[in-house]
């Protein structure tokens, strides 16, 4: 066989092997990505009920949580889409809160540990971050979406109800919208008093008023986007006391 023909045959085989290897690599990456979100989804479904976490089971056997923590620690987000990053960090925030509670089994409230939100560092996506940094830098700072406040939680009863599912890159915006509507139609979170003509709302709206002010809406108008029935615009707005007790599932 002439040299030119042998060379062409060899190059053709090398190209086939290259594209085969590349295809297998992409498949493996896709499968790994899918595994994280699927594992997180199964975890939340198993351990979260009505916003409360089955910490007693996790104290006894944290294996599933530890697997997810390992995924989060080594995740490479450098070439991921905006939707992927948003979904990842939202799951990572909620899972890191749970991990922090499980590490401190005698914790009755996140407020009992001064380092819980802003002192203790966690390895997530190859960065050392506090919970505050995950929420305010990686989520709110990166995505400018105030609804994130209703999708990530702080481990307390006063938080918006923790979802019993994971957030996914391909449905993240619909999931945030659905979760916000669910929270705003929770009569324990938005407390309407028709007799007194008042509405009591979470201190979250007060602590992060700057985030909500950027929408250009007053508080009742903002809430009414996601609530049925609507709150009368003349009702007086007040803030109820935040419940910092741990959101542990009651037996």
């Amino acid at each position: 066989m002439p040299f030119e023909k042998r060379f062409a045959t060899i190059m053709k085989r090398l190209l086939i092997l290259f594209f085969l290897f590349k295809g297998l690599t992409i498949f493996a990456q896709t499968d790994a990505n899918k595994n994280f979100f699927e594992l997180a989804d199964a975890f939340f479904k198993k351990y979260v009920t009505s916003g409360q976490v089955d910490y007693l089971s996790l104290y006894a056997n944290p294996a599933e949580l530890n697997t997810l923590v390992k995924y989060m620690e080594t995740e490479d987000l450098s070439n991921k889409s905006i939707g992927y990053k948003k979904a990842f960090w939202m799951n990572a925030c909620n899972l890191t809160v749970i991990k922090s509670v499980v590490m401190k089994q005698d914790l009755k409230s996140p407020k009992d540990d001064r380092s819980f939100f802003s002192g203790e560092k966690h390895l997530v996506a190859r960065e050392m971050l506090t919970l505050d940094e995950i929420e305010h830098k990686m989520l709110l700072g990166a995505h400018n979406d105030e609804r994130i406040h209703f999708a990530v939680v702080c481990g307390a009863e006063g938080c918006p109800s923790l979802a019993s599912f994971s957030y996914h890159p391909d449905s993240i915006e619909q999931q945030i919208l659905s979760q916000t509507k669910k929270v705003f139609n929770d009569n324990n979170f938005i407390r309407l008093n028709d007799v007194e003509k008042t509405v009591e709302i979470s201190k979250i709206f007060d602590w992060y008023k700057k985030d909500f002010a950027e929408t250009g809406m007053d508080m009742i108008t903002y809430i009414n986007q996601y609530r049925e029935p609507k709150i009368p615009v003349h009702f007086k707005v007040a803030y109820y006391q935040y419940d910092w007790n741990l959101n542990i599932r009651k037996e």
Side-chain angles (χ1 to χ4, degrees):
M1 182 183 292
F3 173 78
E4 292 81 359
K5 192 171 285 187
R6 287 203 310 272
F7 180 77
T9 301
I10 291 169
M11 289 303 297
K12 184 177 180 181
R13 288 174 179 172
L14 286 173
L15 281 171
I16 290 171
L17 287 171
F18 170 77
F19 285 113
L20 179 61
F21 175 77
K22 187 175 181 180
L24 287 171
T25 302
I26 292 170
F27 176 79
Q29 290 173 341
T30 302
D31 192 52
N33 294 342
K34 184 170 66 174
N35 280 344
F36 169 72
F37 294 108
E38 287 186 350
L39 284 171
D41 200 58
F43 177 87
F44 287 121
K45 281 180 169 61
K46 181 175 180 179
Y47 292 103
V48 179
T49 304
S50 300
Q52 296 184 324
V53 181
D54 185 6
Y55 282 115
L56 296 181
S57 293
L58 289 170
Y59 294 154
N61 183 12
E64 291 165 273
L65 177 61
N66 291 340
T67 297
L68 285 165
V69 169
K70 289 297 181 184
Y71 268 97
M72 293 191 298
E73 288 177 346
T74 58
E75 177 67 84
D76 181 3
L77 296 173
S78 57
N79 295 314
K80 298 298 191 295
S81 67
I82 292 173
Y84 186 101
K85 291 177 182 178
K86 192 173 186 179
F88 173 83
W89 283 114
M90 288 175 70
N91 291 320
C93 188
N94 288 332
L95 287 166
T96 303
V97 167
I98 293 173
K99 181 196 82 168
S100 297
V101 173
V102 172
M103 288 171 61
K104 307 171 180 70
Q105 295 193 15
D106 59 345
L107 202 68
K108 304 299 181 186
S109 164
K111 279 292 189 181
D112 291 345
D113 181 355
R114 290 186 177 183
S115 68
F116 193 89
F117 295 109
S118 58
E120 187 176 0
K121 295 272 188 177
H122 308 272
L123 178 60
V124 185
R126 308 182 186 189
E127 293 190 58
M128 294 301 295
L129 300 163
T130 66
L131 277 167
D132 278 348
E133 287 171 333
I134 292 173
E135 181 178 0
H136 299 291
K137 177 183 175 183
M138 312 312 294
L139 280 169
L140 293 163
H143 301 286
N144 192 30
D145 184 350
E146 77 292 335
R147 299 172 305 166
I148 289 171
H149 287 299
F150 311 110
V152 298
V153 303
C154 64
E157 290 278 18
C159 300
S161 183
L162 175 62
S164 55
F165 56 81
S166 72
Y167 295 96
H168 287 255
D170 57 354
S171 55
I172 183 65
E173 296 306 321
Q174 297 94 322
Q175 286 180 305
I176 293 176
L177 176 60
S178 176
Q179 182 68 4
T180 303
K181 287 181 176 179
K182 179 182 177 182
V183 170
F184 281 26
N185 284 279
D186 179 350
N187 292 327
N188 190 51
F189 192 78
I190 305 291
R191 304 175 183 180
L192 214 58
N193 188 323
D194 291 320
V195 176
E196 299 292 333
K197 299 190 185 321
T198 60
V199 55
E200 290 187 324
I201 60 177
S202 170
K203 292 286 285 184
I204 289 171
F205 292 102
D206 186 32
W207 295 330
Y208 304 109
K209 62 177 66 174
K210 182 176 177 292
D211 294 340
F212 299 105
E214 289 178 359
T215 66
M217 304 179 200
D218 64 79
M219 204 56 70
I220 290 181
T221 302
Y222 179 82
I223 293 170
N224 278 342
Q225 294 179 101
Y226 307 107
R227 182 179 169 88
E228 292 293 344
K230 308 298 184 188
I231 303 167
V233 294
H234 63 277
F235 272 33
K236 183 179 178 180
V237 175
Y239 302 100
Y240 55 80
Q241 191 67 33
Y242 204 82
D243 185 352
W244 280 106
N245 288 309
L246 189 66
N247 63 334
I248 187 169
R249 186 187 297 178
K250 310 298 188 293
E251 293 300 322

